[in-house]
Structure formats: C-alpha cells, structure tokens
Amino acid sequence: QQQVKQSPQSLIVQKGGISIINCAYENTAFDYFPWYQQFPGKGPALLIAIRPDVSEKKEGRFTISFNKSAKQFSLHIMDSQPGDSATYFCAASRGSSNTGKLIFGQGTTLQVKP
Amino acid sequence: SQTIHQWPATLVQPVGSPLSLECTVEGTSNPNLYWYRQAAGRGLQLLFYSVGIGQISSEVPQNLSASRPQDRQFILSSKKLLLSDSGFYLCAWSVLTSAFFGQGTRLTVV
C-alpha cells in the first residue's frame, strides 16, 4: 500500500529525443506527486509536482501526466539534453501539511547521448 | 530565500563510534524537517520527521535517533555506529509545499 513503483531502472535517449519515466502507486490516499532530479553526490532537487485534481502539468521541457483511475503518473522530458543526464525519482505523499513525508520510487538513471 | 545547510559532506567513522550530523534551515520559520537515508543505487527512505521543537517521529526502527533542539536545527545521532549505517544521509524541509533537500552527508562506517 505504501509503495511507489518506478520504471524503467535505466534509460538511454538521444539528444533531442523524449525521455519518459513511469510510476505507479497503490495508496489512493496519496495526494501529492513530485519528481526529483539527482546528480551524483548531490541532494535531490525538486523538478515539478502535481496534485490529483489535474491530469497534466508542464514546466518548460518537463511535463507530468497523471492518470488517477490507473494510479499512474509519468515524467516526460522533451528535447532531452546531455545536461539532463541524472537520476530521476518519483515520489508520493499525503496530506497538505506534510508534503515532505515522501515515499520514493527506486529511481531511473537517464543518459542522454550527444 | 530559504537555504538548507548540512554538514559534514563526508564522514568516515569506525564501527562502535558515535555519530552526530547537523542540519540547519535559513529563511523560514517552523518548517517540517526530515532525515532521509539513501543506500547506494536506491531510492530514499524516510528515517525521522519533525513538525516542531522537540517533536520527533521515527519511521523505521534503527540504530539512529534524531533531535530538534531549535526551530530550524535538526540533528541525527547514534551512540554506536554499525556497518549497516553506511549511506547517504539527507536532510530536508517543507512548509506547506514540496520538500527541499540539503546536499547530503556520505557516511562510511569502517
């Protein structure tokens, strides 16, 4: 009930391509779904987040698609760049007062080839 | 703007030694504070969180403890480290928004 399952584990994309990372959750009480980007040796940085009342959120080249009925959400990185090469984590939490109490997916290592 | 400071960046400690990792947040009041651990190549696991001074909730049973002596200070401790305590420890804060992470402490127990 508390798990967030993330796929794929690793992803290689050509420069300019679209990177897609998927996550699925089981606990319908989750109401906040952020994505984080992490470079080696650094802390995760918040990329973009969504709540279940919308099906899509876009910020620059990053888009979250959310399917409440399927309990799935995904991150799309458009026009992927070598600088996007990093590990990406999806996460989920519940309760507007505790958005930092997160359940994380296992991460996806993205490599964007020049 | 808000900033989070976490130190040290790296630490090598012998088995059985004590541990104290410190985290401070600037630019915000009464934040929720969190300690996470990340094992190599894995996702992050919540260890402790705090909604106020002296208020600590533990998420997993372990050899570690946490304390919040001041509003914007969060400390992770151990009396005697185990080999299994090695990992990347991350402090985070939130105030009705997303969680923001520090740069982490790489702990190696030898």
Side-chain angles (χ1 to χ4, degrees), chain A residues 32 36 97-100 102 106, chain B residues 32 34 36 38 42 97-99:
Chain A
Y32 179 72
Y36 286 85
S97 63
N98 219 346
T99 53
L102 295 160
Q106 290 301 295
Chain B
N32 289 347
Y34 310 84
Y36 283 83
Q38 185 175 27
R42 302 288 299 278
T97 58
S98 310

Side-chain angles (χ1 to χ4, degrees), chain B residues 47-62:
Chain B
L47 302 177
F48 301 95
Y49 71 95
S50 172
V51 299
I53 296 173
Q55 301 178 61
I56 308 295
S57 296
S58 174
E59 290 294 294
V60 293
Q62 59 208 313

Side-chain angles (χ1 to χ4, degrees), chain A residues 21-65:
Chain A
I21 305 170
N22 301 297
C23 284
Y25 63 98
E26 297 178 354
N27 190 344
T28 55
F30 288 145
D31 58 3
Y32 179 72
F33 302 90
W35 284 90
Y36 286 85
Q37 178 189 58
Q38 186 179 31
F39 293 103
K42 303 295 184 182
L46 177 67
L47 263 181
I48 186 173
I50 197 168
R51 292 194 181 273
D53 52 345
V54 297
S55 60
E56 186 175 283
K57 184 175 181 180
K58 183 176 181 179
E59 290 184 4
R61 296 185 294 109
F62 300 93
T63 300
I64 298 179
S65 297

